[in-house]
Amino acid sequence: MTIALSPATSVTGSTVRRDLALLIGRLGFGVVFVAHGWQKLFTNGIDGVTAGFTQMGIPAPGVSAWFSALVELVGGGALILGAAVPLVGLLLTINMLGALFYVHLDAGIFATDGGYELVLALAVGAAVLGLLGSGRFGLDALLVGRRRRG
């Protein structure tokens, strides 16, 4: 049975679902990115990450280690909060594409073999969030709403 909704109801329902989907995506991807950034900074340490990046042939391994760790930790936190999502999504996508092309691509798709399935999924998720923004349930929407009213 199909229920016909007025255009206003349909758009509102669709918008709420979209914003909830963005919130769920931001929270899920944000937690994963925070965990990986935390691991790089506090579990392995920047020196350990730099050594690993050197061994993997990552360009400018010291700078790349700091970039990767900070983008993942701070960017993941920003996704969770819904802050600067277009910029954060872009930076996280670039970070994951670096991991894809420099480290994982030659190993095939499966992560169990060192492959690219996780970094590809994270890159795509970050790109989608970056393109769509935080939705209404994030700091970006709150700040933009205040600017429009003020």
Side-chain angles (χ1 to χ4, degrees):
M1 173 182 208
T2 303
I3 299 173
L5 300 173
S6 70
T9 305
S10 175
V11 169
T12 302
S14 171
T15 302
V16 170
R17 283 192 306 273
R18 177 187 175 276
D19 291 334
L20 284 172
L22 288 170
L23 174 63
I24 292 166
R26 287 190 356 252
L27 293 175
F29 284 107
V31 166
V32 172
F33 279 117
V34 165
H36 282 266
W38 184 272
Q39 181 184 43
K40 284 178 177 68
L41 280 173
F42 302 110
T43 303
N44 300 336
I46 290 298
D47 290 341
V49 175
T50 300
F53 280 13
T54 300
Q55 186 177 25
M56 291 181 253
I58 306 293
V63 174
S64 297
W66 276 106
F67 175 82
S68 178
L70 292 176
V71 164
E72 290 172 12
L73 182 65
V74 176
L79 286 182
I80 291 168
L81 297 172
V85 172
L87 174 61
V88 168
L90 174 65
L91 292 174
L92 288 166
T93 301
I94 291 168
N95 187 48
M96 290 297 98
L97 289 176
L100 172 70
F101 289 111
Y102 281 106
V103 181
H104 297 281
L105 192 61
D106 291 341
I109 191 165
F110 296 110
T112 54
D113 300 325
Y116 58 85
E117 69 181 316
L118 177 61
V119 296
L120 178 61
L122 291 172
V124 170
V128 168
L129 290 171
L131 290 168
L132 295 177
S134 71
R136 78 174 78 181
F137 304 122
L139 288 179
D140 288 347
L142 182 67
L143 296 174
V144 168
R146 284 189 180 166
R147 276 192 222 130
R148 287 183 184 156
R149 289 190 297 263

